[in-house]
Amino acid sequence: METVQAQVLSHYRSELVERIRAHGGILEADSLTVKLAKEFGFCYGVERAIDLAYAAKKYFSEAAPNTPIYLLGEIIHNPEVNDQIRNMGIQIISPKPTEEELSRLKAGDAVIIPAFGTEVGTRKKIEEKGCIPVDTTCGDVMSVWKRVRQYSKENVTSIIHGKAKHEETKATTSQARAYGSGHYLVVFTLAETDYVCNYILNGGNKNEFLEKFKGAYSAGFDPDIHLQAVGVANQTTMLRGETEEVQRRIKQAMIKKYGEPELDKHFRFFDTICGATQDRQDALQKLLREPMDLLIVIGGYNSSNTSHLAEMGEAKGLRTYFIRNASRLESREKIVHYSLHEKHEIVTENWLPDPTAR
Ligand code: SF4
């Protein structure tokens, strides 16, 4: 990894960002002031994943030049980084490879597992094929897995606050089923949490429950049986405040149903928001206390981390533009940005306020 540092830096270092940092996070030009959040850029998990992918490329190019290197899906949720990886000759296959893709893999091929990990079954298939896994799974993701495995061994259902279709959550839920008898249920919103709490307290229509959470629970999950002892964990990149609210509401439901002295038998919680996510949310929270005309959040549109940062700006009532890269700043008048509500890019004219109108 050390020997590829210079190459990684040459691809991702920004002189502009360094200049802003050197000036206390502020860049001023005429009537425009740009403030950079204190925590900005790749987290340590992503830095490590990128370094490992570059190192794998270098290692195999030198030791066994004809070895194909595959990547399961995206190394991280950032289109620029994935394009760069592709340009290096690393072949991207599905996060959960299809039969056709699996048939192409041969013993000795290298397969990179992304920072958010992969499902237990996928890893097993890769190993059965005799491929060499280059595992870049972040340690913070693995600590969620550890917690979920523990719940599962103790026959406790994992309630995971996250997006059921996110690769990290899929990898995490696969851990629940692989190492014990526990089930899992993924909740994403507070409204879903309230629905679950109400079911814990009052029961309800089982078919409706299963329909509502389709794709977000383990095979054989029965809300009448498997919500009696639950452990809450979360996708590492959720909003801290929301995750705390999810666990608080479920805890209250359990206290109401079974009484405080019995709580330990029915409820567990482990905060699995990663440190880097928290630092970024804290840094933005601090920045949002300062007067600003608008906020620009830069990152992949499918990144949970950056989406939450954009949500924070919107929740503050600040004009927020979520862009994937500098090309979206088309001109002083026009910006192309992602709408969290419409789930696609939209165009906004006159996005920069007129300084003379202040
Ligand atoms: S768990 Fe945190 S540090 Fe690790 S890759 Fe995800 S966001 Fe980065």
Side-chain angles (χ1 to χ4, degrees):
M1 284 164 75
E2 270 170 28
T3 59
V4 293
Q5 285 292 316
Q7 190 191 10
V8 174
L9 273 179
S10 74
H11 285 169
Y12 301 112
R13 187 169 149 247
S14 161
E15 278 178 20
L16 177 62
V17 168
E18 282 175 12
R19 211 171 99 204
I20 302 176
R21 279 190 176 140
H23 288 86
I26 293 178
L27 178 76
E28 286 178 315
D30 295 332
S31 54
L32 178 72
T33 304
V34 177
K35 294 181 181 177
L36 187 69
K38 191 151 177 277
E39 296 294 333
F40 178 88
F42 296 152
C43 58
Y44 46 80
V46 157
E47 273 178 5
R48 180 176 163 275
I50 294 172
D51 287 356
L52 271 170
Y54 276 61
K57 176 68 188 164
K58 182 173 164 59
Y59 172 80
F60 285 104
S61 303
E62 290 168 5
N66 295 325
T67 305
I69 307 178
Y70 297 95
L71 165 66
L72 296 178
E74 300 180 292
I75 185 90
I76 59 166
H77 287 144
N78 181 303
E80 317 304 313
V81 178
N82 292 311
D83 286 348
Q84 192 67 55
I85 294 277
R86 206 179 279 113
N87 292 341
M88 288 163 61
I90 293 174
Q91 301 174 55
I92 298 186
I93 55 174
S94 313
K96 195 171 181 173
T98 60
E99 285 307 316
E100 189 278 320
E101 285 169 332
L102 282 172
S103 71
R104 272 194 274 143
L105 300 181
K106 298 183 303 303
D109 291 355
V111 180
I112 302 173
I113 297 172
F116 22 72
T118 193
E119 293 175 45
V120 174
T122 300
R123 183 174 180 123
K124 204 165 155 229
K125 281 183 190 160
I126 290 165
E127 286 174 347
E128 280 168 1
K129 280 269 176 183
C131 297
I132 304 164
V134 179
D135 192 351
T136 77
T137 309
C138 178
D140 285 23
V141 172
M142 286 199 254
S143 67
V144 189
W145 294 356
K146 198 171 144 202
R147 182 59 45 175
V148 165
R149 284 201 298 260
Q150 189 59 35
Y151 290 156
S152 190
K153 280 181 195 151
E154 293 167 11
N155 215 7
V156 167
T157 295
S158 295
I159 295 188
I160 297 158
H161 178 222
K163 292 180 185 163
K165 291 198 175 125
H166 190 285
E167 293 93 326
E168 181 192 315
T169 300
K170 281 186 175 173
T172 299
T173 53
S174 73
Q175 297 280 329
R177 296 303 288 157
Y179 296 99
S181 49
H183 283 268
Y184 69 82
L185 171 70
V186 182
V187 296
F188 181 49
T189 62
L190 290 176
E192 285 179 2
T193 307
D194 286 342
Y195 184 93
V196 172
C197 289
N198 186 48
Y199 202 96
I200 289 171
L201 285 168
N202 308 311
N205 183 330
K206 183 156 83 177
N207 289 337
E208 184 191 275
F209 187 111
L210 294 176
E211 190 54 36
K212 185 177 173 65
F213 288 96
K214 205 170 175 183
Y217 52 79
S218 43
F221 172 80
D222 182 339
D224 291 337
I225 301 168
H226 302 122
L227 288 177
Q228 292 171 20
V230 303
V232 183
N234 47 265
Q235 194 180 308
T236 53
T237 49
M238 300 311 276
L239 276 176
R240 161 148 339 237
E242 204 171 279
T243 279
E244 283 173 351
E245 192 55 25
V246 167
Q247 67 91 6
R248 194 191 66 76
R249 291 185 191 191
I250 295 172
K251 182 178 175 187
Q252 284 311 313
M254 288 308 201
I255 291 175
K256 219 165 162 188
K257 172 113 183 174
Y258 299 104
E260 187 109 42
E262 295 291 303
L263 187 63
D264 285 354
K265 289 188 202 146
H266 299 278
F267 178 79
R268 287 162 211 197
F269 172 68
F270 189 74
D271 179 359
T272 48
I273 295 272
C274 86
T277 295
Q278 192 53 50
D279 290 346
R280 274 149 189 75
Q281 291 175 10
D282 290 348
L284 178 57
Q285 205 64 267
K286 195 164 169 239
L287 194 65
L288 289 173
R289 279 187 223 120
E290 298 178 25
M292 287 188 292
D293 293 310
L294 57 90
L295 174 72
I296 299 178
V297 177
I298 310 155
Y301 299 151
N302 57 347
S303 160
S304 179
N305 237 331
T306 34
S307 302
H308 284 129
L309 298 177
E311 276 170 28
M312 285 171 70
E314 287 192 357
K316 184 87 181 167
L318 191 63
R319 232 184 309 162
T320 300
Y321 299 112
F322 183 8
I323 60 171
R324 55 179 282 183
N325 58 30
S327 75
R328 293 322 193 241
L329 302 169
E330 287 204 0
S331 66
R332 198 205 174 290
E333 287 77 30
K334 190 169 157 193
I335 188 169
V336 180
H337 59 105
Y338 186 76
S339 162
L340 290 170
H341 313 282
E342 296 175 38
K343 310 274 180 234
H344 58 78
E345 282 188 332
I346 56 174
V347 176
T348 297
E349 306 278 351
N350 300 320
W351 63 282
L352 267 181
D354 180 356
T356 58
R358 280 187 200 161

